Amino acid sequence: LNPLLVYVMGVDAAKTRSPNADEMVEIRLLINEAMDAVAIGISMSVMGAAGNSHVDFDGTSMPTDAMDHDALLDIGRAVVERGEGVIQMLSQIAFFGDRSITERMAEIAKGSGVRVVHNVFLTSDVDVMAAKVDDDLAWLDAQRAAGRDVTAGALVNRGWVEADVRQLDTAAGQLAGVRRIVACADDAELRNLLADTAFVAEFGREYAAADPASGAAAFEGQTIIAVGHADDLQPLVGRTLAEVAADTGADVIATLFDLALKTDLALQLKSPPIGATTPEQAVKLMRHAGVIGGGSDGGAHTKSFGMGHYATDLLIWLVRENGAMTLEDLHFQLSLKTA
């Protein structure tokens, strides 16, 4: 929806208010024209501003994340009134977001023939996430028991994030400090910010108080994979930020920013696994009739990772390596079940 909203309303208006009556008519007309030309529906991120790791290039929220929920529901009615297609909603990532907007959209679509695709279910080795799979499945069961046609997309394959300091938003964009980094206009402004001791201390306090969103959000486990032309730092390649911080006695945030400056912003990090490293959670999710496993993320984060390998990885991991599913069963999960 974001490109459509910007097209109809302009960037500033789309980011600051809901569509007016005339704009709503045009938005709904264009959705119908698109679906007449075989688009299957609409998709939207509705994660809000606070705690949302998905931000625009300048650190501000995308239009649909900031827009009033009632306006987004009204846009969704354009699909519901057709009685066909899908409405895909990214409303919760782990503990961030509010999936009640998915519930409200699914209630509006109830009995219409329109399916609401809810994103996103996750797996994780993080202790605080241990009960999240069961909680998510219980929520999905409740939606379907209420007659709401909800299917959940689940990120279940193995993956990781590779990024420099400019792309920390991929793993931890919910942090205000990361948003300040993303919003820097150029490298000179970024260097000044990372060298600002007050900012480093403020970021450290924020990070210490934050809950983990996923395995990728923990800076301690980030592995150094490149240091640019800083030859004296080459011995650090292959070590984690936590290990380097322990050597110097500094905290992990101060260590991260110090290395970014010493490498002239060429520092590259590889995250711990995004999802669980054992297959039980992935299999439990995919065994549910209302869960679709996998996701390529639509190319949203190609500077840092791409999930288009999910089908291949699930075949290798769950069938060949672990025998957690039969080839035929996983083939069904990736093909007929999705269809």
Side-chain angles (χ1 to χ4, degrees):
L1 277 183
N2 284 302
L4 176 59
L5 293 173
V6 170
Y7 175 77
V8 172
M9 302 171 65
V11 174
D12 292 340
K15 281 178 170 281
T16 55
R17 63 172 175 84
S18 296
N20 61 34
D22 290 341
E23 290 163 343
M24 187 66 77
V25 169
E26 185 176 1
I27 288 167
R28 296 180 69 174
L29 175 65
L30 289 169
I31 288 171
N32 274 282
E33 287 186 4
M35 293 186 70
D36 288 344
V38 303
I40 64 168
I42 58 176
S43 65
M44 64 187 86
S45 174
V46 285
M47 288 286 295
N52 184 5
S53 62
H54 294 88
V55 293
D56 207 347
F57 74 97
D58 59 356
T60 61
S61 297
M62 297 299 291
T64 56
D65 287 315
M67 191 165 286
D68 179 75
H69 282 183
D70 288 340
L72 292 170
L73 293 171
D74 198 25
I75 293 172
R77 287 185 176 93
V79 179
V80 173
E81 289 166 4
R82 288 180 68 96
E84 61 178 351
V86 300
I87 300 173
Q88 186 174 30
M89 310 188 74
L90 174 63
S91 64
Q92 189 177 59
I93 302 175
F95 300 104
F96 298 101
D98 177 8
R99 60 190 177 193
S100 68
I101 180 64
T102 298
E103 298 171 3
R104 293 178 67 193
M105 187 71 82
E107 182 64 24
I108 290 171
K110 188 175 177 178
S112 68
V114 172
R115 172 163 294 167
V116 173
V117 179
H118 170 77
N119 288 83
V120 60
F121 286 1
L122 300 173
T123 68
S124 177
D125 287 335
V126 178
D127 290 342
V128 73
M129 291 280 291
K132 196 71 177 75
V133 169
D134 290 334
D135 173 72
D136 284 341
L137 290 177
W139 173 82
L140 181 59
D141 283 337
Q143 300 310 303
R144 293 163 74 89
R148 298 168 179 164
D149 189 356
V150 179
T151 293
L155 183 58
V156 293
N157 59 286
R158 297 176 292 190
W160 64 92
V161 173
E162 294 183 14
D164 63 24
V165 72
R166 301 173 188 84
Q167 286 117 37
L168 295 178
D169 56 305
T170 304
Q174 72 275 11
L175 300 174
V178 169
R179 292 189 179 208
R180 286 189 62 185
I181 291 171
V182 172
C184 287
D186 52 37
D187 286 350
E189 183 179 346
L190 177 55
R191 291 188 190 96
N192 288 335
L193 181 64
L194 299 182
D196 183 341
T197 56
F199 169 72
V200 176
E202 178 187 350
F203 192 109
R205 288 190 295 270
E206 181 193 13
Y207 178 68
D211 292 323
S214 71
F219 289 123
E220 286 81 359
Q222 301 276 341
T223 298
I224 299 166
I225 58 174
V227 292
H229 298 296
D231 293 339
D232 58 319
L233 298 179
Q234 285 295 332
L236 300 183
V237 173
R239 304 190 70 198
T240 66
L241 288 178
E243 292 169 343
V244 177
D247 289 346
T248 62
D251 66 43
V252 71
I253 298 301
T255 300
L256 166 61
F257 295 163
D258 181 58
L259 290 175
L261 290 170
K262 286 180 175 177
T263 60
D264 195 25
L265 304 180
L267 177 71
Q268 288 277 335
L269 302 170
K270 180 178 180 179
S271 79
I274 294 172
T277 54
T278 56
E280 289 79 14
Q281 293 178 40
V283 172
K284 177 181 283 190
L285 286 171
M286 287 194 293
R287 293 288 189 206
H288 191 287
V291 177
I292 296 298
S296 70
D297 212 23
H301 301 295
T302 49
K303 287 183 180 179
S304 304
F305 74 94
M307 288 296 171
H309 69 283
Y310 74 91
T312 305
D313 183 61
L314 290 175
L315 286 163
I316 293 170
W317 183 37
L318 300 182
V319 177
R320 190 169 74 192
E321 293 181 354
N322 284 284
M325 301 181 77
T326 66
L327 177 61
E328 292 79 7
D329 193 4
L330 188 54
H331 188 277
F332 160 73
Q333 293 284 340
L334 295 172
S335 54
L336 181 58
K337 185 184 185 185
T338 307

